[in-house]
Amino acid sequence: MNILIVDDDIVDRELITRTLKRSNISCEISGVESADQGLEQLKKMEFDAVLLDYNLPKRNGIELLVELRNAHERHDVAVIMMSTSKDDELALNCINAGAQDFLVKTEINVFRLQRAIVNSHARADLEKRLYQSYQHTKELAEQDSLTGISSRYHFDESLSNDLKSNERNKTTLALLLIDLDHFKYVNDNYGHDIGDSLLIEVVNRIHRCLRGNELFARLGGDEFAITLTNINSANNATHVAQRIIDALSEPFTIDNHIITSAASIGISISPDDSVNPKELFKYADIAMYKAKSKGRNQFSFFEEAMQVEFLSNFHIENQLKEALKNKHFNLHYQPVMDPKTQQLTGVEALIRWEVDGVAISPDKFIPIAEKSRLILDIGQWVIEEAIKRLSDLNLNHSQSITMAINLSAVQLTNDSVIDVIQDCIKQYNVDANLIEFEITETALIVEPEKTVKIIQAISDLGCKISLDDFGTGFSSLSHLHSFPIDIVKIDKSLMPSYFSTEKVKKLLSGLIVMLKSLKLQIVAEGVETQDDLDLCINLGVDKVQGYFFDKALPVDVFERKYLQLNNKKVL
């Protein structure tokens, strides 16, 4: 047995050492005179028992005892506190602090010391086993036995601690409550074993939506919770919730059964909604049932302001699906003119959408369509309608006009767009050189390797590629040689009517000289005044479009106004 004596009195240390040697205990004895030396020895060696003096310099034995327990997390070291005091309260304080026994120095003899060490060692061993049992029980209490994630008990404790930390650090926390839709149907129709397997698979899919530092718990049955700490804004919670909904939308295959599952998610934010764990939980629960009442398979924020925005977007997404199904979109056509002759050379097709007679701005619904990837189907409809219309328009025009069609960044990452274009060209017998596909510079930085292949494939079909909004945002000369660009559309912000300064005019002039040197066709957008038109003529711009000539028009108005003029000067 290894025994450490911690006592600043050398006489007492020697007395205890001699007493130990006269006992029946076979032991190796080490002695130190301070708390720091004692802790150092405990780091270096394994000791079975520590004889610890209460009255040590700088700090007393209880302080050392507490530090020893915290620092080493050892529950198998027997600690016997020693003191010259006979105070019962002191002895009780030492036992409460973690000592296994208390000895009065003046009463120490071979028998008492031997008995104290043996009994204390037995107590320490029992405490160790009790601690291990506690840890095992704690683990069972904190971990869900089916899925292996945190339990309701652990979640409640952690949420309280996280909210306190959140309040101290002035940060934001989001609580997500997740409830599986129609889980009872699975249990009732497939049995509880299949239901349990489904819960495990659901947890695995949700895990893949998380970064790993979130607290993820099963609250019971088919209800789960996630806390997101130190987030920048509620948008972080939005992204996580949407990833989970998307992940659960794919059917599950369990024991040869195809099972469809979905989830309703309620979200509350701290400190915006509450800093109280019970209130925050209640608000997330309310939000979850709002999601269920709205049709399930969606998420809902408790905060009303956010809720209005997200519900609006969700509503628009559903309306877009209906519009696609019932073909409620329209294309309007903005004329593209020769600046010198002011004759029609082409048109740009622009999508328009009305709901109950109210026009919905493309700036509002296009981002939602892109995020939901409905833009793939909407974009296909636009391509088919525009190419069909081009075929019809050129039948009524003595000189063929061009058709500019906008492509979304999402479409440029999907190979199917190439087949759609090729099929339409064949079906409507249109010269591919008359079709211009407009892409924005921001679209070129989304999956650039795949984007360049798709753009090149469209160019190989014979279509023209037009770079839109040049001169703003991500403008980069590298795009002009990295992609098969034929046409550059100068952004309206460089027109005098938008920003009338000599510096901007010089910038526009320099851009046009450079683009001409690259043999690129130049189209100026946003031509709204005579000054805009005159500048474009003086700089040698090839084509112009803007409100000076016309806004985008319904096809019947466009045909009546432009194609029945027999190519006469419009202005």
Side-chain angles (χ1 to χ4, degrees):
M1 180 179 285
N2 288 331
I3 296 176
L4 175 65
I5 302 171
V6 184
D7 197 323
D8 62 315
D9 190 323
I10 189 170
V11 175
D12 286 350
R13 283 205 312 274
E14 289 296 329
L15 177 63
I16 295 168
T17 301
R18 287 197 300 270
T19 304
L20 282 170
K21 288 180 178 179
R22 293 200 307 271
S23 71
N24 295 328
I25 298 173
S26 177
C27 59
E28 294 290 331
I29 304 168
S30 301
V32 294
E33 61 183 23
S34 71
D36 290 338
Q37 290 175 352
L39 288 171
E40 191 64 32
Q41 280 293 101
L42 285 162
K43 290 178 183 177
K44 292 178 181 178
M45 291 180 60
E46 293 285 332
F47 289 96
D48 300 292
V50 178
L51 297 169
L52 178 59
D53 183 26
Y54 175 77
N55 292 307
L56 290 172
K58 296 184 180 178
R59 45 185 168 171
N60 62 40
I62 288 183
E63 293 176 50
L64 174 58
L65 177 58
V66 172
E67 189 169 345
L68 185 153
R69 293 300 190 204
N70 292 338
H72 296 274
E73 296 182 350
R74 289 284 303 277
H75 297 269
D76 56 348
V77 179
V79 178
I80 302 167
M81 195 73 77
M82 304 180 298
S83 175
T84 56
S85 173
K86 295 183 179 181
D87 185 11
D88 289 339
E89 188 174 347
L90 174 62
L92 186 59
N93 288 340
C94 292
I95 298 299
N96 288 336
Q100 274 72 40
D101 208 340
F102 181 89
L103 290 176
V104 179
K105 283 186 176 183
T106 57
E107 297 177 354
I108 292 177
N109 56 37
V110 174
F111 172 75
R112 286 185 175 176
L113 185 58
Q114 181 174 308
R115 187 177 62 179
I117 291 174
V118 172
N119 290 346
S120 296
H121 193 264
R123 289 194 194 101
D125 185 60
L126 178 60
E127 287 175 11
K128 176 186 177 182
R129 281 183 280 141
L130 286 172
Y131 179 76
Q132 289 173 338
S133 176
Y134 161 75
Q135 286 294 100
H136 179 65
T137 304
K138 184 171 182 284
E139 186 176 314
L140 290 176
E142 292 182 348
Q143 189 178 68
D144 178 57
S145 59
L146 176 66
T147 62
I149 60 176
S150 293
S151 66
R152 174 65 181 262
Y153 166 78
H154 185 224
F155 181 82
D156 288 343
E157 281 200 336
S158 298
L159 178 60
S160 296
N161 293 333
D162 286 341
L163 285 172
K164 290 174 185 175
S165 175
N166 191 62
E167 197 168 5
R168 282 195 306 271
N169 299 327
K170 307 296 183 186
T171 53
T172 300
L173 176 147
L175 170 60
L176 283 68
L177 286 190
I178 306 166
D179 189 82
L180 299 186
D181 297 330
H182 306 301
F183 179 72
K184 186 176 181 298
Y185 173 86
V186 175
N187 272 339
D188 291 345
N189 287 273
Y190 299 100
H192 287 276
D193 287 344
I194 297 292
D196 287 349
S197 297
L198 175 61
L199 291 175
I200 293 170
E201 289 301 315
V202 164
V203 166
N204 291 338
R205 286 196 188 180
I206 293 176
H207 259 309
R208 292 194 287 270
C209 299
L210 306 177
R211 298 184 184 277
N213 59 343
E214 305 91 341
L215 178 64
F216 179 26
R218 182 185 177 204
L219 304 180
D222 61 337
E223 192 172 24
F224 302 88
I226 297 170
T227 52
L228 308 176
T229 56
N230 299 316
I231 62 174
N232 297 321
S233 71
N235 284 334
N236 296 88
T238 301
H239 297 322
V240 173
Q242 190 60 57
R243 284 201 299 268
I244 292 171
I245 287 172
D246 292 342
L248 298 182
S249 65
E250 292 294 323
F252 294 82
T253 303
I254 300 173
D255 287 355
N256 297 321
H257 298 290
I258 305 298
I259 299 175
T260 302
S261 183
S264 298
I265 303 175
I267 306 170
S268 57
I269 304 293
S270 179
D272 295 0
D273 296 330
S274 178
V275 296
N276 179 281
K278 288 185 178 180
E279 286 187 353
L280 197 68
F281 195 93
K282 179 181 73 175
Y283 294 152
D285 200 44
I286 291 170
M288 183 186 70
Y289 280 100
K290 280 186 181 178
K292 282 187 176 293
S293 67
K294 299 272 182 197
R296 303 175 186 266
N297 193 30
Q298 58 184 280
F299 63 88
S300 174
F301 277 87
F302 176 74
E303 186 182 353
E304 201 59 39
M306 289 182 182
Q307 184 70 354
V308 168
E309 180 183 352
F310 289 118
L311 282 177
S312 172
N313 289 350
F314 182 76
H315 184 57
I316 288 175
E317 184 179 330
N318 283 336
Q319 288 179 315
L320 284 171
K321 291 175 183 177
E322 285 297 313
L324 261 173
K325 181 180 177 181
N326 299 312
K327 298 182 179 180
H328 286 166
F329 297 112
N330 289 297
L331 289 184
H332 286 196
Y333 301 89
Q334 185 172 36
V336 178
M337 314 296 290
D338 182 311
K340 292 181 180 178
T341 65
Q342 297 181 27
Q343 288 188 335
L344 181 72
T345 64
V347 293
E348 178 180 355
L350 297 166
I351 191 168
R352 295 293 183 261
W353 178 37
E354 289 187 358
V355 177
D356 297 330
V358 178
I360 309 297
S361 169
D363 291 340
K364 178 67 176 176
F365 72 81
I366 292 296
I368 297 171
E370 288 180 323
K371 186 176 179 181
S372 63
R373 298 185 71 82
L374 289 172
I375 195 68
L376 295 175
D377 292 329
I378 294 173
Q380 179 175 334
W381 176 85
V382 169
I383 291 169
E384 292 172 350
E385 182 70 16
I387 293 177
K388 177 178 181 294
R389 184 62 61 189
L390 177 63
S391 176
D392 293 342
L393 292 176
N394 280 334
L395 289 176
N396 301 318
H397 200 254
S398 59
Q399 185 176 350
S400 294
I401 62 174
T402 61
M403 174 72 73
I405 304 169
N406 290 277
L407 287 180
S408 159
V410 178
Q411 290 173 275
L412 292 174
T413 61
N414 191 285
D415 294 324
S416 65
V417 70
I418 301 166
D419 294 331
V420 171
I421 295 169
Q422 190 171 30
D423 291 345
C424 288
I425 290 171
K426 289 180 180 179
Q427 181 178 353
Y428 299 110
N429 193 28
V430 173
D431 185 351
N433 280 290
L434 297 176
I435 304 171
E436 302 169 2
F437 284 102
E438 294 191 10
I439 57 177
T440 62
E441 292 186 283
T442 52
L444 302 182
I445 63 175
V446 178
E447 298 187 35
E449 291 184 5
K450 190 164 188 177
T451 298
V452 72
K453 290 179 182 178
I454 291 177
I455 292 175
Q456 185 62 59
I458 294 172
S459 179
D460 291 343
L461 293 175
C463 303
K464 303 295 183 184
I465 304 298
S466 176
L467 187 59
D468 200 10
D469 301 332
F470 192 78
T472 63
F474 293 93
S475 292
S476 172
L477 299 180
S478 65
H479 294 150
L480 298 178
H481 64 77
S482 299
F483 295 86
I485 306 297
D486 304 293
I487 303 164
V488 172
K489 300 190 80 169
I490 302 294
D491 188 71
K492 64 181 181 181
S493 63
L494 296 178
M495 290 294 106
S497 59
Y498 189 90
F499 211 134
S500 183
T501 67
E502 198 61 34
K503 187 175 181 180
V504 172
K505 289 180 181 178
K506 289 181 179 179
L507 174 61
L508 177 60
S509 176
L511 279 176
I512 290 173
V513 170
M514 177 200 67
L515 295 172
K516 281 185 171 294
S517 71
L518 296 174
K519 310 292 186 192
L520 294 169
Q521 191 178 99
I522 304 167
V523 179
E525 295 183 292
V527 175
E528 297 185 358
T529 65
Q530 186 67 51
D531 287 343
D532 290 346
L533 180 61
D534 291 343
L535 180 61
C536 290
I537 293 171
N538 292 335
L539 294 177
V541 171
D542 299 302
K543 297 179 181 180
V544 293
Q545 69 183 99
Y547 282 12
F548 183 71
F549 296 99
D550 244 322
K551 63 180 181 179
L553 302 169
V555 64
D556 56 336
V557 177
F558 173 82
E559 286 188 279
R560 190 165 58 248
K561 186 169 184 180
Y562 287 91
L563 300 188
Q564 293 176 10
L565 290 176
N566 196 24
N567 291 333
K568 291 182 180 179
K569 190 174 179 180
V570 176
L571 297 176

